[in-house]
PDB file of all heavy atoms in Angstrom:
ATOM      1  N   MET A1289     112.109 107.319 107.269  1.00 96.00           N
ATOM      2  CA  MET A1289     113.263 107.684 108.172  1.00 96.00           C
ATOM      3  C   MET A1289     114.336 106.694 108.009  1.00 96.00           C
ATOM      4  O   MET A1289     114.047 105.498 107.732  1.00 96.00           O
ATOM      5  CB  MET A1289     112.880 107.722 109.569  1.00 96.00           C
ATOM      6  CG  MET A1289     111.908 108.879 109.954  1.00 96.00           C
ATOM      7  SD  MET A1289     111.602 108.778 111.745  1.00 96.00           S
ATOM      8  CE  MET A1289     110.341 110.211 111.851  1.00 96.00           C
ATOM      9  N   GLU A1290     115.539 107.051 108.351  1.00 96.00           N
ATOM     10  CA  GLU A1290     116.676 106.087 108.370  1.00 96.00           C
ATOM     11  C   GLU A1290     116.396 105.180 109.458  1.00 96.00           C
ATOM     12  O   GLU A1290     115.732 105.598 110.477  1.00 96.00           O
ATOM     13  CB  GLU A1290     118.008 106.790 108.655  1.00 96.00           C
ATOM     14  CG  GLU A1290     118.391 107.728 107.492  1.00 96.00           C
ATOM     15  CD  GLU A1290     119.782 108.262 107.648  1.00 96.00           C
ATOM     16  OE1 GLU A1290     120.540 107.906 108.472  1.00 96.00           O
ATOM     17  OE2 GLU A1290     120.076 109.270 106.924  1.00 96.00           O
ATOM     18  N   ASP A1291     116.943 103.943 109.471  1.00 97.00           N
ATOM     19  CA  ASP A1291     116.557 102.887 110.494  1.00 97.00           C
ATOM     20  C   ASP A1291     116.736 103.383 111.975  1.00 97.00           C
ATOM     21  O   ASP A1291     115.905 103.245 112.722  1.00 97.00           O
ATOM     22  CB  ASP A1291     117.363 101.719 110.179  1.00 97.00           C
ATOM     23  CG  ASP A1291     116.903 100.895 108.874  1.00 97.00           C
ATOM     24  OD1 ASP A1291     115.974 101.202 108.426  1.00 97.00           O
ATOM     25  OD2 ASP A1291     117.814 100.109 108.431  1.00 97.00           O
ATOM     26  N   THR A1292     117.817 103.817 112.254  1.00 97.00           N
ATOM     27  CA  THR A1292     118.216 104.219 113.586  1.00 97.00           C
ATOM     28  C   THR A1292     117.294 105.379 114.021  1.00 97.00           C
ATOM     29  O   THR A1292     116.839 105.420 115.240  1.00 97.00           O
ATOM     30  CB  THR A1292     119.773 104.608 113.832  1.00 97.00           C
ATOM     31  OG1 THR A1292     120.438 103.415 113.484  1.00 97.00           O
ATOM     32  CG2 THR A1292     120.036 104.891 115.308  1.00 97.00           C
ATOM     33  N   THR A1293     117.105 106.276 113.207  1.00 98.00           N
ATOM     34  CA  THR A1293     116.314 107.446 113.459  1.00 98.00           C
ATOM     35  C   THR A1293     114.788 107.003 113.864  1.00 98.00           C
ATOM     36  O   THR A1293     114.218 107.434 114.732  1.00 98.00           O
ATOM     37  CB  THR A1293     116.309 108.455 112.424  1.00 98.00           C
ATOM     38  OG1 THR A1293     117.529 108.878 112.159  1.00 98.00           O
ATOM     39  CG2 THR A1293     115.454 109.730 112.652  1.00 98.00           C
ATOM     40  N   ARG A1294     114.223 106.096 112.978  1.00 97.00           N
ATOM     41  CA  ARG A1294     113.048 105.592 113.141  1.00 97.00           C
ATOM     42  C   ARG A1294     112.957 104.806 114.490  1.00 97.00           C
ATOM     43  O   ARG A1294     112.004 104.913 115.267  1.00 97.00           O
ATOM     44  CB  ARG A1294     112.657 104.544 111.981  1.00 97.00           C
ATOM     45  CG  ARG A1294     111.256 103.991 112.071  1.00 97.00           C
ATOM     46  CD  ARG A1294     110.799 103.253 110.869  1.00 97.00           C
ATOM     47  NE  ARG A1294     111.796 102.204 110.519  1.00 97.00           N
ATOM     48  CZ  ARG A1294     112.615 102.302 109.364  1.00 97.00           C
ATOM     49  NH1 ARG A1294     112.506 103.401 108.611  1.00 97.00           N
ATOM     50  NH2 ARG A1294     113.395 101.377 109.048  1.00 97.00           N
ATOM     51  N   GLU A1295     113.909 103.977 114.859  1.00 98.00           N
ATOM     52  CA  GLU A1295     113.920 103.220 116.090  1.00 98.00           C
ATOM     53  C   GLU A1295     113.855 104.128 117.198  1.00 98.00           C
ATOM     54  O   GLU A1295     113.072 103.932 118.011  1.00 98.00           O
ATOM     55  CB  GLU A1295     115.212 102.346 116.135  1.00 98.00           C
ATOM     56  CG  GLU A1295     115.204 101.134 115.308  1.00 98.00           C
ATOM     57  CD  GLU A1295     116.390 100.245 115.430  1.00 98.00           C
ATOM     58  OE1 GLU A1295     116.409  99.500 116.458  1.00 98.00           O
ATOM     59  OE2 GLU A1295     117.307 100.487 114.680  1.00 98.00           O
ATOM     60  N   ILE A1296     114.696 105.163 117.266  1.00 98.00           N
ATOM     61  CA  ILE A1296     114.658 106.146 118.298  1.00 98.00           C
ATOM     62  C   ILE A1296     113.351 106.801 118.419  1.00 98.00           C
ATOM     63  O   ILE A1296     112.734 106.938 119.578  1.00 98.00           O
ATOM     64  CB  ILE A1296     115.833 107.229 118.013  1.00 98.00           C
ATOM     65  CG1 ILE A1296     117.146 106.583 118.300  1.00 98.00           C
ATOM     66  CG2 ILE A1296     115.694 108.393 119.084  1.00 98.00           C
ATOM     67  CD1 ILE A1296     118.355 107.302 117.826  1.00 98.00           C
ATOM     68  N   PHE A1297     112.757 107.273 117.407  1.00 97.00           N
ATOM     69  CA  PHE A1297     111.443 108.013 117.357  1.00 97.00           C
ATOM     70  C   PHE A1297     110.372 107.001 117.969  1.00 97.00           C
ATOM     71  O   PHE A1297     109.641 107.415 118.839  1.00 97.00           O
ATOM     72  CB  PHE A1297     111.114 108.362 116.010  1.00 97.00           C
ATOM     73  CG  PHE A1297     109.798 109.008 115.871  1.00 97.00           C
ATOM     74  CD1 PHE A1297     109.627 110.299 116.341  1.00 97.00           C
ATOM     75  CD2 PHE A1297     108.643 108.365 115.408  1.00 97.00           C
ATOM     76  CE1 PHE A1297     108.298 110.903 116.200  1.00 97.00           C
ATOM     77  CE2 PHE A1297     107.436 108.954 115.439  1.00 97.00           C
ATOM     78  CZ  PHE A1297     107.240 110.193 115.718  1.00 97.00           C
ATOM     79  N   LEU A1298     110.386 105.821 117.441  1.00 97.00           N
ATOM     80  CA  LEU A1298     109.356 104.812 118.049  1.00 97.00           C
ATOM     81  C   LEU A1298     109.548 104.478 119.400  1.00 97.00           C
ATOM     82  O   LEU A1298     108.589 104.292 120.213  1.00 97.00           O
ATOM     83  CB  LEU A1298     109.270 103.669 117.160  1.00 97.00           C
ATOM     84  CG  LEU A1298     108.849 103.843 115.687  1.00 97.00           C
ATOM     85  CD1 LEU A1298     109.018 102.525 114.852  1.00 97.00           C
ATOM     86  CD2 LEU A1298     107.438 104.420 115.729  1.00 97.00           C
ATOM     87  N   MET A1299     110.833 104.311 119.789  1.00 98.00           N
ATOM     88  CA  MET A1299     111.035 103.950 121.209  1.00 98.00           C
ATOM     89  C   MET A1299     110.609 105.194 122.177  1.00 98.00           C
ATOM     90  O   MET A1299     110.127 104.845 123.240  1.00 98.00           O
ATOM     91  CB  MET A1299     112.480 103.654 121.492  1.00 98.00           C
ATOM     92  CG  MET A1299     112.927 102.373 120.885  1.00 98.00           C
ATOM     93  SD  MET A1299     114.637 101.945 121.224  1.00 98.00           S
ATOM     94  CE  MET A1299     114.828 100.278 120.580  1.00 98.00           C
ATOM     95  N   LEU A1300     110.839 106.342 121.699  1.00 97.00           N
ATOM     96  CA  LEU A1300     110.383 107.490 122.549  1.00 97.00           C
ATOM     97  C   LEU A1300     108.949 107.702 122.639  1.00 97.00           C
ATOM     98  O   LEU A1300     108.363 107.822 123.533  1.00 97.00           O
ATOM     99  CB  LEU A1300     111.163 108.725 122.049  1.00 97.00           C
ATOM    100  CG  LEU A1300     112.540 109.086 122.472  1.00 97.00           C
ATOM    101  CD1 LEU A1300     113.285 110.050 121.605  1.00 97.00           C
ATOM    102  CD2 LEU A1300     112.579 109.510 123.933  1.00 97.00           C
ATOM    103  N   ARG A1301     108.385 107.825 121.365  1.00 96.00           N
ATOM    104  CA  ARG A1301     107.027 108.155 121.243  1.00 96.00           C
ATOM    105  C   ARG A1301     105.937 107.038 121.436  1.00 96.00           C
ATOM    106  O   ARG A1301     104.953 107.362 121.910  1.00 96.00           O
ATOM    107  CB  ARG A1301     106.785 108.875 119.843  1.00 96.00           C
ATOM    108  CG  ARG A1301     107.460 110.170 119.723  1.00 96.00           C
ATOM    109  CD  ARG A1301     106.938 111.150 120.694  1.00 96.00           C
ATOM    110  NE  ARG A1301     107.558 112.416 120.545  1.00 96.00           N
ATOM    111  CZ  ARG A1301     107.232 113.439 121.090  1.00 96.00           C
ATOM    112  NH1 ARG A1301     106.040 113.578 121.859  1.00 96.00           N
ATOM    113  NH2 ARG A1301     107.859 114.604 120.891  1.00 96.00           N
ATOM    114  N   VAL A1302     106.278 105.897 121.008  1.00 96.00           N
ATOM    115  CA  VAL A1302     105.367 104.760 121.129  1.00 96.00           C
ATOM    116  C   VAL A1302     105.621 103.884 122.363  1.00 96.00           C
ATOM    117  O   VAL A1302     104.740 103.711 123.134  1.00 96.00           O
ATOM    118  CB  VAL A1302     105.467 103.820 119.919  1.00 96.00           C
ATOM    119  CG1 VAL A1302     104.541 102.625 120.038  1.00 96.00           C
ATOM    120  CG2 VAL A1302     105.208 104.631 118.516  1.00 96.00           C
ATOM    121  N   ASP A1303     106.896 103.565 122.585  1.00 97.00           N
ATOM    122  CA  ASP A1303     107.169 102.691 123.832  1.00 97.00           C
ATOM    123  C   ASP A1303     107.382 103.553 125.131  1.00 97.00           C
ATOM    124  O   ASP A1303     107.327 102.972 126.221  1.00 97.00           O
ATOM    125  CB  ASP A1303     108.490 101.990 123.457  1.00 97.00           C
ATOM    126  CG  ASP A1303     108.361 101.020 122.316  1.00 97.00           C
ATOM    127  OD1 ASP A1303     107.239 100.591 122.039  1.00 97.00           O
ATOM    128  OD2 ASP A1303     109.404 100.723 121.646  1.00 97.00           O
ATOM    129  N   GLY A1304     107.639 104.834 124.889  1.00 98.00           N
ATOM    130  CA  GLY A1304     107.681 105.717 126.113  1.00 98.00           C
ATOM    131  C   GLY A1304     109.025 105.530 126.874  1.00 98.00           C
ATOM    132  O   GLY A1304     109.034 105.781 128.147  1.00 98.00           O
ATOM    133  N   LEU A1305     110.028 105.013 126.233  1.00 98.00           N
ATOM    134  CA  LEU A1305     111.405 104.902 126.823  1.00 98.00           C
ATOM    135  C   LEU A1305     112.053 106.222 126.918  1.00 98.00           C
ATOM    136  O   LEU A1305     111.900 107.184 126.240  1.00 98.00           O
ATOM    137  CB  LEU A1305     112.276 103.784 126.089  1.00 98.00           C
ATOM    138  CG  LEU A1305     111.548 102.495 125.819  1.00 98.00           C
ATOM    139  CD1 LEU A1305     112.527 101.664 124.947  1.00 98.00           C
ATOM    140  CD2 LEU A1305     111.243 101.783 127.144  1.00 98.00           C
ATOM    141  N   ALA A1306     112.954 106.243 127.950  1.00 98.00           N
ATOM    142  CA  ALA A1306     113.800 107.387 128.198  1.00 98.00           C
ATOM    143  C   ALA A1306     115.025 107.415 127.341  1.00 98.00           C
ATOM    144  O   ALA A1306     115.523 106.206 126.908  1.00 98.00           O
ATOM    145  CB  ALA A1306     114.195 107.429 129.732  1.00 98.00           C
ATOM    146  N   TYR A1307     115.714 108.523 127.231  1.00 98.00           N
ATOM    147  CA  TYR A1307     116.883 108.497 126.367  1.00 98.00           C
ATOM    148  C   TYR A1307     117.919 107.522 126.836  1.00 98.00           C
ATOM    149  O   TYR A1307     118.535 106.889 125.941  1.00 98.00           O
ATOM    150  CB  TYR A1307     117.537 110.017 126.345  1.00 98.00           C
ATOM    151  CG  TYR A1307     116.719 111.016 125.434  1.00 98.00           C
ATOM    152  CD1 TYR A1307     115.369 110.693 125.140  1.00 98.00           C
ATOM    153  CD2 TYR A1307     117.290 112.257 125.154  1.00 98.00           C
ATOM    154  CE1 TYR A1307     114.715 111.698 124.344  1.00 98.00           C
ATOM    155  CE2 TYR A1307     116.552 113.137 124.435  1.00 98.00           C
ATOM    156  CZ  TYR A1307     115.280 112.910 124.066  1.00 98.00           C
ATOM    157  OH  TYR A1307     114.634 113.852 123.335  1.00 98.00           O
ATOM    158  N   PRO A1308     118.326 107.507 128.102  1.00 98.00           N
ATOM    159  CA  PRO A1308     119.274 106.598 128.477  1.00 98.00           C
ATOM    160  C   PRO A1308     119.007 105.086 128.274  1.00 98.00           C
ATOM    161  O   PRO A1308     119.889 104.370 127.912  1.00 98.00           O
ATOM    162  CB  PRO A1308     119.426 106.803 130.107  1.00 98.00           C
ATOM    163  CG  PRO A1308     118.889 108.157 130.201  1.00 98.00           C
ATOM    164  CD  PRO A1308     117.835 108.388 129.236  1.00 98.00           C
ATOM    165  N   GLU A1309     117.738 104.729 128.370  1.00 98.00           N
ATOM    166  CA  GLU A1309     117.297 103.352 128.116  1.00 98.00           C
ATOM    167  C   GLU A1309     117.531 103.074 126.620  1.00 98.00           C
ATOM    168  O   GLU A1309     117.890 101.979 126.311  1.00 98.00           O
ATOM    169  CB  GLU A1309     115.843 103.140 128.600  1.00 98.00           C
ATOM    170  CG  GLU A1309     115.570 101.627 128.495  1.00 98.00           C
ATOM    171  CD  GLU A1309     114.195 101.366 129.270  1.00 98.00           C
ATOM    172  OE1 GLU A1309     113.432 102.286 129.701  1.00 98.00           O
ATOM    173  OE2 GLU A1309     113.844 100.153 129.302  1.00 98.00           O
ATOM    174  N   ILE A1310     117.029 104.001 125.773  1.00 98.00           N
ATOM    175  CA  ILE A1310     117.179 103.769 124.376  1.00 98.00           C
ATOM    176  C   ILE A1310     118.624 103.659 123.936  1.00 98.00           C
ATOM    177  O   ILE A1310     119.028 102.814 123.238  1.00 98.00           O
ATOM    178  CB  ILE A1310     116.486 104.902 123.606  1.00 98.00           C
ATOM    179  CG1 ILE A1310     114.962 104.969 123.727  1.00 98.00           C
ATOM    180  CG2 ILE A1310     116.854 104.794 122.060  1.00 98.00           C
ATOM    181  CD1 ILE A1310     114.313 106.273 123.388  1.00 98.00           C
ATOM    182  N   GLY A1311     119.396 104.584 124.477  1.00 98.00           N
ATOM    183  CA  GLY A1311     120.933 104.523 124.266  1.00 98.00           C
ATOM    184  C   GLY A1311     121.476 103.097 124.679  1.00 98.00           C
ATOM    185  O   GLY A1311     122.289 102.549 123.858  1.00 98.00           O
ATOM    186  N   ALA A1312     121.088 102.673 125.735  1.00 98.00           N
ATOM    187  CA  ALA A1312     121.581 101.323 126.201  1.00 98.00           C
ATOM    188  C   ALA A1312     121.152 100.158 125.314  1.00 98.00           C
ATOM    189  O   ALA A1312     121.943  99.303 124.902  1.00 98.00           O
ATOM    190  CB  ALA A1312     121.063 101.004 127.698  1.00 98.00           C
ATOM    191  N   ARG A1313     119.953 100.260 124.869  1.00 97.00           N
ATOM    192  CA  ARG A1313     119.416  99.234 123.912  1.00 97.00           C
ATOM    193  C   ARG A1313     120.020  99.287 122.464  1.00 97.00           C
ATOM    194  O   ARG A1313     120.231  98.237 121.894  1.00 97.00           O
ATOM    195  CB  ARG A1313     117.921  99.423 123.749  1.00 97.00           C
ATOM    196  CG  ARG A1313     117.077  98.966 125.065  1.00 97.00           C
ATOM    197  CD  ARG A1313     115.662  98.979 124.753  1.00 97.00           C
ATOM    198  NE  ARG A1313     114.853  98.687 125.931  1.00 97.00           N
ATOM    199  CZ  ARG A1313     113.687  98.307 126.057  1.00 97.00           C
ATOM    200  NH1 ARG A1313     113.023  98.226 124.885  1.00 97.00           N
ATOM    201  NH2 ARG A1313     113.081  98.018 127.105  1.00 97.00           N
ATOM    202  N   LEU A1314     120.367 100.431 122.035  1.00 98.00           N
ATOM    203  CA  LEU A1314     120.985 100.625 120.695  1.00 98.00           C
ATOM    204  C   LEU A1314     122.402 100.849 120.703  1.00 98.00           C
ATOM    205  O   LEU A1314     123.067 100.965 119.691  1.00 98.00           O
ATOM    206  CB  LEU A1314     120.243 101.880 120.034  1.00 98.00           C
ATOM    207  CG  LEU A1314     118.756 101.737 119.882  1.00 98.00           C
ATOM    208  CD1 LEU A1314     118.276 102.929 119.123  1.00 98.00           C
ATOM    209  CD2 LEU A1314     118.440 100.513 118.970  1.00 98.00           C
ATOM    210  N   GLY A1315     122.986 100.844 121.930  1.00 98.00           N
ATOM    211  CA  GLY A1315     124.517 101.053 121.903  1.00 98.00           C
ATOM    212  C   GLY A1315     124.867 102.522 121.518  1.00 98.00           C
ATOM    213  O   GLY A1315     125.965 102.693 120.934  1.00 98.00           O
ATOM    214  N   LEU A1316     124.009 103.403 121.941  1.00 98.00           N
ATOM    215  CA  LEU A1316     124.320 104.865 121.673  1.00 98.00           C
ATOM    216  C   LEU A1316     124.355 105.640 122.887  1.00 98.00           C
ATOM    217  O   LEU A1316     123.924 105.280 123.877  1.00 98.00           O
ATOM    218  CB  LEU A1316     123.102 105.440 120.852  1.00 98.00           C
ATOM    219  CG  LEU A1316     122.791 104.739 119.570  1.00 98.00           C
ATOM    220  CD1 LEU A1316     121.523 105.361 118.905  1.00 98.00           C
ATOM    221  CD2 LEU A1316     123.937 104.890 118.441  1.00 98.00           C
ATOM    222  N   SER A1317     125.182 106.736 122.849  1.00 98.00           N
ATOM    223  CA  SER A1317     125.134 107.700 123.967  1.00 98.00           C
ATOM    224  C   SER A1317     123.872 108.525 124.025  1.00 98.00           C
ATOM    225  O   SER A1317     123.108 108.485 122.932  1.00 98.00           O
ATOM    226  CB  SER A1317     126.406 108.744 123.716  1.00 98.00           C
ATOM    227  OG  SER A1317     126.174 109.549 122.709  1.00 98.00           O
ATOM    228  N   VAL A1318     123.519 109.054 125.050  1.00 98.00           N
ATOM    229  CA  VAL A1318     122.381 109.901 125.276  1.00 98.00           C
ATOM    230  C   VAL A1318     122.385 111.018 124.258  1.00 98.00           C
ATOM    231  O   VAL A1318     121.355 111.339 123.593  1.00 98.00           O
ATOM    232  CB  VAL A1318     122.233 110.447 126.750  1.00 98.00           C
ATOM    233  CG1 VAL A1318     121.158 111.498 126.821  1.00 98.00           C
ATOM    234  CG2 VAL A1318     121.962 109.254 127.693  1.00 98.00           C
ATOM    235  N   ALA A1319     123.573 111.615 123.985  1.00 98.00           N
ATOM    236  CA  ALA A1319     123.686 112.707 122.948  1.00 98.00           C
ATOM    237  C   ALA A1319     123.290 112.238 121.588  1.00 98.00           C
ATOM    238  O   ALA A1319     122.578 112.858 120.907  1.00 98.00           O
ATOM    239  CB  ALA A1319     125.073 113.342 123.079  1.00 98.00           C
ATOM    240  N   GLU A1320     123.649 110.971 121.271  1.00 98.00           N
ATOM    241  CA  GLU A1320     123.364 110.415 119.933  1.00 98.00           C
ATOM    242  C   GLU A1320     121.804 110.271 119.801  1.00 98.00           C
ATOM    243  O   GLU A1320     121.226 110.321 118.827  1.00 98.00           O
ATOM    244  CB  GLU A1320     124.104 109.098 119.667  1.00 98.00           C
ATOM    245  CG  GLU A1320     125.647 109.310 119.411  1.00 98.00           C
ATOM    246  CD  GLU A1320     126.431 107.983 119.489  1.00 98.00           C
ATOM    247  OE1 GLU A1320     126.167 107.173 120.431  1.00 98.00           O
ATOM    248  OE2 GLU A1320     127.245 107.987 118.550  1.00 98.00           O
ATOM    249  N   VAL A1321     121.260 109.795 120.910  1.00 98.00           N
ATOM    250  CA  VAL A1321     119.777 109.472 121.046  1.00 98.00           C
ATOM    251  C   VAL A1321     119.051 110.922 120.784  1.00 98.00           C
ATOM    252  O   VAL A1321     118.101 110.993 120.028  1.00 98.00           O
ATOM    253  CB  VAL A1321     119.336 108.832 122.293  1.00 98.00           C
ATOM    254  CG1 VAL A1321     117.824 108.728 122.330  1.00 98.00           C
ATOM    255  CG2 VAL A1321     119.954 107.482 122.362  1.00 98.00           C
ATOM    256  N   GLU A1322     119.553 111.869 121.497  1.00 98.00           N
ATOM    257  CA  GLU A1322     119.005 113.182 121.293  1.00 98.00           C
ATOM    258  C   GLU A1322     119.041 113.689 119.921  1.00 98.00           C
ATOM    259  O   GLU A1322     118.132 114.153 119.292  1.00 98.00           O
ATOM    260  CB  GLU A1322     119.619 114.192 122.372  1.00 98.00           C
ATOM    261  CG  GLU A1322     119.359 113.921 123.825  1.00 98.00           C
ATOM    262  CD  GLU A1322     120.243 114.780 124.703  1.00 98.00           C
ATOM    263  OE1 GLU A1322     121.109 115.423 124.214  1.00 98.00           O
ATOM    264  OE2 GLU A1322     119.917 114.781 125.944  1.00 98.00           O
ATOM    265  N   ARG A1323     120.190 113.563 119.319  1.00 98.00           N
ATOM    266  CA  ARG A1323     120.330 113.921 117.839  1.00 98.00           C
ATOM    267  C   ARG A1323     119.571 113.183 116.966  1.00 98.00           C
ATOM    268  O   ARG A1323     118.886 113.625 116.110  1.00 98.00           O
ATOM    269  CB  ARG A1323     121.879 113.739 117.465  1.00 98.00           C
ATOM    270  CG  ARG A1323     122.759 115.011 117.800  1.00 98.00           C
ATOM    271  CD  ARG A1323     124.067 114.908 117.116  1.00 98.00           C
ATOM    272  NE  ARG A1323     124.867 113.766 117.484  1.00 98.00           N
ATOM    273  CZ  ARG A1323     125.697 113.654 118.571  1.00 98.00           C
ATOM    274  NH1 ARG A1323     125.738 114.601 119.242  1.00 98.00           N
ATOM    275  NH2 ARG A1323     126.282 112.438 118.739  1.00 98.00           N
ATOM    276  N   GLY A1324     119.421 111.862 117.267  1.00 98.00           N
ATOM    277  CA  GLY A1324     118.432 111.022 116.466  1.00 98.00           C
ATOM    278  C   GLY A1324     117.023 111.457 116.586  1.00 98.00           C
ATOM    279  O   GLY A1324     116.273 111.675 115.538  1.00 98.00           O
ATOM    280  N   PHE A1325     116.561 111.957 117.798  1.00 98.00           N
ATOM    281  CA  PHE A1325     115.242 112.345 117.881  1.00 98.00           C
ATOM    282  C   PHE A1325     115.101 113.732 117.136  1.00 98.00           C
ATOM    283  O   PHE A1325     113.958 113.903 116.525  1.00 98.00           O
ATOM    284  CB  PHE A1325     114.832 112.535 119.355  1.00 98.00           C
ATOM    285  CG  PHE A1325     113.399 112.919 119.553  1.00 98.00           C
ATOM    286  CD1 PHE A1325     112.356 112.090 119.193  1.00 98.00           C
ATOM    287  CD2 PHE A1325     112.992 114.115 120.081  1.00 98.00           C
ATOM    288  CE1 PHE A1325     111.076 112.383 119.328  1.00 98.00           C
ATOM    289  CE2 PHE A1325     111.800 114.423 120.341  1.00 98.00           C
ATOM    290  CZ  PHE A1325     110.744 113.705 119.901  1.00 98.00           C
ATOM    291  N   VAL A1326     116.091 114.610 117.315  1.00 98.00           N
ATOM    292  CA  VAL A1326     115.854 115.852 116.486  1.00 98.00           C
ATOM    293  C   VAL A1326     115.810 115.604 115.057  1.00 98.00           C
ATOM    294  O   VAL A1326     115.030 116.202 114.374  1.00 98.00           O
ATOM    295  CB  VAL A1326     117.180 116.813 116.903  1.00 98.00           C
ATOM    296  CG1 VAL A1326     117.070 117.958 115.809  1.00 98.00           C
ATOM    297  CG2 VAL A1326     117.092 117.201 118.270  1.00 98.00           C
ATOM    298  N   GLU A1327     116.640 114.652 114.478  1.00 97.00           N
ATOM    299  CA  GLU A1327     116.639 114.290 113.100  1.00 97.00           C
ATOM    300  C   GLU A1327     115.236 113.902 112.750  1.00 97.00           C
ATOM    301  O   GLU A1327     114.600 114.146 111.605  1.00 97.00           O
ATOM    302  CB  GLU A1327     117.597 113.232 112.832  1.00 97.00           C
ATOM    303  CG  GLU A1327     118.980 113.828 112.757  1.00 97.00           C
ATOM    304  CD  GLU A1327     120.053 112.594 112.543  1.00 97.00           C
ATOM    305  OE1 GLU A1327     119.683 111.562 112.020  1.00 97.00           O
ATOM    306  OE2 GLU A1327     121.330 112.815 112.785  1.00 97.00           O
ATOM    307  N   ALA A1328     114.585 113.031 113.568  1.00 97.00           N
ATOM    308  CA  ALA A1328     113.221 112.473 113.294  1.00 97.00           C
ATOM    309  C   ALA A1328     112.212 113.616 113.246  1.00 97.00           C
ATOM    310  O   ALA A1328     111.362 113.501 112.394  1.00 97.00           O
ATOM    311  CB  ALA A1328     112.922 111.519 114.460  1.00 97.00           C
TER     312      ALA A1328
END
């Protein structure tokens, strides 16, 4: 996976973080996190 896509996937599935928390950590909007997860 592309780096950001992989980070989003792992943060969601492995770390159990919520979209807003991932967005805050990566500097992304919730919509961008959602798109990244769909891409994953």
Side-chain angles (χ1 to χ4, degrees):
M1289 289 178 185
E1290 293 184 16
D1291 292 342
T1292 303
T1293 303
R1294 182 174 50 252
E1295 287 182 81
I1296 290 169
F1297 177 79
L1298 293 174
M1299 287 180 175
L1300 275 164
R1301 293 298 181 164
V1302 176
D1303 300 333
L1305 301 178
Y1307 287 16
E1309 189 171 1
I1310 294 168
R1313 289 184 183 199
L1314 298 179
L1316 303 171
S1317 69
V1318 171
E1320 289 172 315
V1321 174
E1322 290 172 347
R1323 274 193 299 277
F1325 184 63
V1326 169
E1327 287 176 16

